[in-house]
Amino acid sequence: MENQTNTPVPDNRQPDDDEINLLDLLIVLAKHKKRIIGVTLAAALMAVGYALSLPNIYTATAKILPPQSQSSASTMLSQLGGLAGMAGIKNPNDMYIAMLKSRSLMEKVVKRVDLQKVYKQETLNGAMSALEGSTVISSDKGGFITVEVSDKDPQLAANLANIFIEELNKLLQTYSVTDASQKRTFFDQQLRQAKDRLTDAELVLDKTPNTSLQYLDALRNLKYQEAVWEMLAKQFEMAKLDEAKDFPLIQVLDKAMPPEKKSKPKRSMVVMLATL
């Protein structure tokens, strides 16, 4: 067997040209230190000027507890029908938030304070878009709904947040009155029919000799029809009272007040990020 000798292979690998020596990097930085410092200071000064030019924005917050009556919520959900599922509405709070964000309610808020003029928008849609961008509506696990509106004017921000709540309450009252009106109409019809049956029972009793067995049957029927009529009359009066009610359906926990401190801009953060 022949002896094989392993001849060492020379390492022809060259140092990676892409590798940068730390000392070389420090030399380059030192060489251009005036430019680096100058650019940094210029960025900081520009950031300060930009931050100071930004207007103060104030955020007003209103917190409410929507109606807790399951019957009222179920009625409104049933009236929305398939639209509720399409809009992702799974519970009453989702429905109330959808109402607050609806075009019809936004339009009422815009028109009440003439936001088209305040926001300097040529169209109503432009003013509504601006309002939508300045408004945050959310719900927490406790069932409370928060409406936050931001504006350069703290008083206007508070007014807008409160107007959202007022318009929602009016909208809910409309649904409530509609439901009560339907009940009143139903009991009115039933009451009229009961009145006709009561009149018929009275006529039958008058025509029946009071010595016969038919007279006892006619008398029992008359008393029954009177009881039905009295019950429906009470329900009809209650429905009329419900229809005439005008009370707030929403519990306002925190009414929006003009904020004393701005919510943005974070001027120090703007300067720090620009300097970095």
Side-chain angles (χ1 to χ4, degrees):
M1 178 179 296
E2 298 180 356
N3 293 330
Q4 297 180 353
T5 59
N6 295 328
T7 303
V9 179
D11 188 358
N12 295 324
R13 291 177 297 174
Q14 299 297 326
D16 192 349
D17 293 338
D18 293 335
E19 293 182 359
I20 299 177
N21 187 279
L22 180 59
L23 180 60
D24 294 336
L25 180 59
L26 292 176
I27 293 173
V28 172
L29 291 176
K31 183 179 179 180
H32 298 284
K33 63 181 180 180
K34 291 183 178 179
R35 182 181 301 175
I36 295 172
I37 295 174
V39 171
T40 304
L41 289 176
L45 291 174
M46 291 176 62
V48 170
Y50 173 72
L52 292 176
S53 68
L54 295 174
N56 289 338
I57 302 298
Y58 300 88
T59 301
T61 303
K63 181 176 288 188
I64 63 170
L65 181 64
Q68 299 301 296
S69 173
Q70 294 297 323
S71 59
S72 299
S74 300
T75 299
M76 285 183 279
L77 283 172
S78 64
Q79 289 177 352
L80 291 175
L83 293 176
M86 294 175 61
I89 298 175
K90 300 178 181 179
N91 55 62
N93 265 26
D94 289 342
M95 178 184 62
Y96 299 131
I97 291 177
M99 288 180 176
L100 285 165
K101 294 181 178 180
S102 67
R103 176 182 175 83
S104 60
L105 194 143
M106 284 272 187
E107 184 175 342
K108 291 177 181 178
V109 176
V110 168
K111 290 182 176 179
R112 277 189 59 175
V113 291
D114 197 9
L115 281 183
Q116 191 172 338
K117 181 179 179 181
V118 174
Y119 288 162
K120 298 179 181 179
Q121 296 290 328
E122 296 181 356
T123 63
L124 177 63
N125 287 335
M128 291 171 59
S129 297
L131 176 61
E132 184 177 1
S134 302
T135 305
V136 177
I137 302 172
S138 59
S139 174
D140 59 24
K141 295 181 180 179
F144 301 105
I145 293 178
T146 301
V147 178
E148 297 177 308
V149 182
S150 299
D151 194 84
K152 292 182 290 185
D153 183 354
Q155 184 63 58
L156 178 59
N159 291 342
L160 290 173
N162 290 326
I163 290 174
F164 266 101
I165 305 304
E166 293 170 7
E167 292 298 331
L168 175 62
N169 190 55
K170 291 179 181 178
L171 188 58
L172 292 177
Q173 283 183 343
T174 300
Y175 278 107
S176 178
V177 169
T178 301
D179 183 40
S181 178
Q182 292 175 349
K183 289 182 179 179
R184 179 191 56 76
T185 302
F186 170 77
F187 285 119
D188 184 33
Q189 294 174 348
Q190 295 297 315
L191 189 61
R192 292 175 185 274
Q193 295 176 7
K195 180 64 175 178
D196 293 337
R197 290 193 295 268
L198 179 59
T199 301
D200 293 339
E202 291 174 345
L203 293 175
V204 171
L205 184 64
D206 291 340
K207 296 178 180 179
T208 304
N210 58 7
T211 57
S212 62
L213 293 176
Q214 289 82 1
Y215 179 83
L216 295 177
D217 291 337
L219 182 61
R220 281 194 295 267
N221 182 53
L222 176 62
K223 291 182 178 180
Y224 171 76
Q225 297 299 337
E226 286 178 343
V228 171
W229 185 87
E230 289 177 358
M231 179 188 68
L232 290 173
K234 292 179 181 178
Q235 295 294 329
F236 177 68
E237 292 300 324
M238 291 175 62
K240 286 201 302 183
L241 290 174
D242 289 340
E243 187 179 20
K245 283 181 180 178
D246 183 18
F247 56 88
L249 300 174
I250 295 174
Q251 298 181 43
V252 180
L253 301 179
D254 294 320
K255 186 177 180 180
M257 302 297 292
E260 297 179 355
K261 297 182 179 180
K262 65 180 178 65
S263 57
K264 56 185 179 181
K266 307 292 185 182
R267 291 187 175 88
S268 58
M269 185 65 68
V270 171
V271 175
M272 289 174 59
L273 290 176
T275 304
L276 288 174

